[in-house]
Amino acid sequence: MATSLQNLVPPFSCRRTTYTSPCTPIAIFRGGRRRNARKMLRVCGAMVEKTVQGASSTFAKEMERLSAKESLLLAFKDAGGFEALVTGKTTDVQCIDVNERIISLEKLNPTPRPSTSPNLEGRWNFEWFGAGSPVLLLAKIFFGRIPPTLANLSKMDVLIKDGCGTATAQVKILNSIENKFIISTKYSVEGPLRMKEEYVEGEFESPKVDEEAVPEQLRGAFGQAFNTLQQLPVPIRDAVSSGMKVPLSGTFQRLILISYLDDEILIIRNTAGEPEVLTRLEAGPDPQNITEYES
């Protein structure tokens, strides 16, 4: 009987084995780690690819912006520049070409809040302005009816600093007498893009004469005018020599939008949507941020 019972015992060994079933918790844990590692590798690869693509996209956009700037400056030159614009010699084709390039550059504006950007401060030269711009209206009022051979508006620029502007129009009469008309303005920030410009004062500076450049036939008349000026009473003579100031407070103001700003070009638009394009002449001394606007 004992022998028959022993023969029924299965021939198994009771030693512990190191084999692990795929369904055991340890195997599941190890498999999960492998899956997590593969997932992390995929995520890292995607992040690297996204970073490379982002850098490439940023570089391409910057090259597009620089190309648009160069294209706009060339369009100004082809249109005849500042002198042709002031004297009305630009053609319709030239005007539409310049405006098309302005729009292309505005789409690439790198400054999200230009009204409070320190890049806004500095001295800017007027390159282009619309028919309704006060700059052009002023030029036509004072110099539009004077033949270019007698007087011409050679340059206009504006210095922006600490929320104030000083616009200067430089005029040359008979190619020998230099005169300046200066307008002082005040800017107030009304939004990330919007500002209000108020005219404060206008000033005619006393003309400066280059005697060597005065035509020979006019030198006698010039000498007589100079002697007459010297014989005037001192108060009047001082007033003439120091220029004439005209108060403008409360007479004119306008709203403007800054549609593009970088360290070289400034584009603003008036309420009629007409663009004014300025290029930087010099940076403002120690530019600081303008106080943030209050909504």
Side-chain angles (χ1 to χ4, degrees):
M1 185 68 178
T3 303
S4 61
L5 290 174
Q6 289 177 356
N7 292 334
L8 295 175
V9 177
F12 296 150
S13 172
C14 295
R15 290 179 300 175
R16 301 181 65 180
T17 178
T18 57
Y19 172 74
T20 304
S21 170
C23 297
T24 62
I26 294 177
I28 294 174
F29 177 71
R30 289 175 179 173
R33 290 182 63 182
R34 286 195 294 271
R35 286 194 296 271
N36 288 339
R38 287 196 296 269
K39 183 177 180 182
M40 289 178 64
L41 287 174
R42 288 196 300 270
V43 171
C44 290
M47 290 176 63
V48 171
E49 183 179 0
K50 185 176 181 180
T51 301
V52 172
Q53 291 178 349
S56 177
S57 176
T58 301
F59 176 77
K61 188 174 182 179
E62 180 65 13
M63 293 303 296
E64 182 184 5
R65 187 176 68 86
L66 295 177
S67 176
K69 286 172 61 174
E70 185 67 22
S71 178
L72 178 58
L73 295 176
L74 288 175
F76 290 151
K77 185 176 181 180
D78 292 342
F82 182 84
E83 181 180 353
L85 184 62
V86 172
T87 56
K89 295 180 180 179
T90 52
T91 66
D92 290 342
V93 174
Q94 291 170 335
C95 289
I96 198 67
D97 184 51
V98 169
N99 283 315
E100 182 180 12
R101 295 167 196 256
I102 289 174
I103 293 173
S104 297
L105 183 58
E106 287 174 324
K107 295 177 181 178
L108 304 171
N109 178 31
T111 310
R113 299 176 62 88
S115 63
T116 56
S117 171
N119 274 338
L120 184 60
E121 296 198 346
R123 187 175 295 277
W124 299 88
N125 184 56
F126 283 91
E127 300 284 355
W128 189 266
F129 33 81
S133 169
V135 175
L136 185 58
L137 293 176
L138 180 67
K140 288 183 176 181
I141 290 173
F142 288 100
F143 313 107
R145 297 182 180 180
I146 303 177
T149 54
L150 298 180
N152 61 343
L153 181 62
S154 59
K155 183 180 179 182
M156 292 192 73
D157 60 65
V158 59
L159 174 64
I160 301 175
K161 180 168 175 59
D162 297 331
C164 296
T166 304
T168 304
Q170 299 184 7
V171 186
K172 213 164 190 181
I173 303 173
L174 298 175
N175 204 32
S176 57
I177 303 175
E178 294 183 355
N179 198 5
K180 292 182 180 180
F181 180 67
I182 301 173
I183 296 179
S184 300
T185 61
K186 182 176 66 174
Y187 297 101
S188 55
V189 180
E190 297 201 341
L193 306 177
R194 189 173 69 187
M195 301 184 76
K196 182 168 69 174
E197 182 182 30
E198 300 177 80
Y199 283 35
V200 178
E201 184 181 69
E203 177 183 359
F204 286 97
E205 282 194 354
S206 180
K208 298 177 181 179
V209 182
D210 183 1
E211 297 185 18
E212 295 182 357
V214 176
E216 186 68 30
Q217 61 271 25
L218 296 177
R219 289 189 178 180
F222 170 74
Q224 292 179 4
F226 180 78
N227 292 332
T228 301
L229 178 61
Q230 295 301 314
Q231 295 174 7
L232 292 173
V234 174
I236 298 178
R237 187 175 62 198
D238 291 344
V240 172
S241 61
S242 61
M244 181 179 64
K245 295 184 179 182
V246 181
L248 299 175
S249 296
T251 60
F252 182 80
Q253 66 181 26
R254 64 171 183 160
L255 294 173
I256 58 175
L257 287 178
I258 303 177
S259 57
Y260 182 91
L261 174 65
D262 64 15
D263 56 350
E264 294 178 328
I265 291 181
L266 166 64
I267 303 176
I268 64 177
R269 290 184 178 270
N270 57 23
T271 52
E274 295 172 329
E276 297 176 15
V277 184
L278 301 88
T279 54
R280 186 181 297 278
L281 290 174
E282 61 186 43
D286 299 327
Q288 296 179 353
N289 240 350
I290 303 173
T291 304
E292 293 285 341
Y293 75 98
E294 296 180 2
S295 58

